[in-house]
Amino acid sequence: MNLRRTLTVAAACAASLLCAAPMRMDWKAIPEAPAAVARPFAGLVGGRLLFAGGSTYAATKDYVATISAYDPKRNVWEALGALPEGVAEGGAVALPEGLVCVGGVTTKGPTGKAFLLKADGSREALPDFPHGTLSMTAAAPWEGGAAFACGLLNGKPTNRVFTLRKKDGAWIWGELPPLPGPARNQAVATAQNGDQKSPVLAVFGGIVTAGD
């Protein structure tokens, strides 16, 4: 396996923007999260950071089901219950309605389950991923919904891009043209104007199988 390099053009554009409009950023420590986990579902919803699932590594790998929220106004973490089962390595996108969570891996293996996690910890079922299972995917807002790019599709790297958007009151899965280049997983994504029409989706990095 080898780490795919970030696109030089994208990096150069980002650097030029930062140089053109410098801004100051200060870091501040917050209380530690209730549990040390890897690859949870996470995002800002209702002014709070939602944190659900994830995995831990002790003697063996374990999947966590807990849901927590960090409230920056009170500077505290709050327990919000638990998911039906432990899950990690899925994709998540924060929308005004809640955190769209798709796929991941459980003790039973990869999954294609989807749900909307709300600010109070409650969940709304969404249509399951229609092409099997999806994990290690990059996620970003897309036209009022969510886009999931690359990842492990049924256990194999892919360059396909899927969308989950609300239309006429119903959540509907769709698909965008595939990304150019080889299939990859564990990439990251962001979107410009992701909540509007004519957005731009940017996908960076990822892991490509040697020889692809």
Side-chain angles (χ1 to χ4, degrees):
M1 309 288 281
N2 67 323
L3 185 64
R4 187 172 181 82
R5 295 180 178 176
T6 302
L7 293 175
T8 304
V9 174
C13 290
S16 65
L17 288 174
L18 289 174
C19 291
M23 59 182 179
R24 178 181 176 82
M25 178 180 290
D26 294 320
W27 295 96
K28 183 179 73 171
I30 66 173
E32 291 187 2
V37 298
R39 300 185 184 279
F41 296 117
L44 287 170
V45 177
R48 303 198 301 172
L49 173 62
L50 292 184
F51 213 73
S55 58
T56 60
Y57 297 83
T60 59
K61 186 175 182 178
D62 189 29
Y63 295 95
V64 177
T66 54
I67 305 171
S68 303
Y70 172 70
D71 187 335
K73 293 183 178 179
R74 296 186 295 142
N75 195 34
V76 296
W77 286 91
E78 179 183 356
L80 295 180
L83 301 173
E85 62 180 336
V87 60
E89 301 168 7
V93 175
L95 301 178
E97 301 95 322
L99 189 65
V100 175
C101 303
V102 173
V105 180
T106 71
T107 55
K108 301 173 185 176
T111 178
K113 294 289 184 182
F115 59 91
L116 182 72
L117 181 63
K118 300 182 180 180
D120 61 0
S122 61
R123 302 182 310 280
E124 175 187 332
L126 298 178
D128 289 344
F129 180 64
H131 303 286
T133 64
L134 185 67
S135 61
M136 296 293 191
T137 183
W142 186 260
E143 293 188 339
F148 301 91
C150 305
L152 295 177
L153 176 62
N154 297 316
K156 296 181 179 180
T158 183
N159 60 356
R160 294 170 69 180
V161 182
F162 305 97
T163 60
L164 180 58
R165 294 181 290 173
K166 203 170 188 179
K167 183 177 181 180
D168 298 328
W171 290 90
I172 299 174
W173 280 97
E175 187 167 358
L176 300 175
L179 289 173
R184 53 180 139 164
N185 68 93
Q186 299 189 47
V188 294
T190 189
Q192 183 179 32
N193 300 326
D195 59 345
Q196 303 172 20
K197 291 183 178 180
S198 302
V200 176
L201 180 66
V203 179
F204 303 88
I207 293 178
V208 176
T209 303
D212 284 355

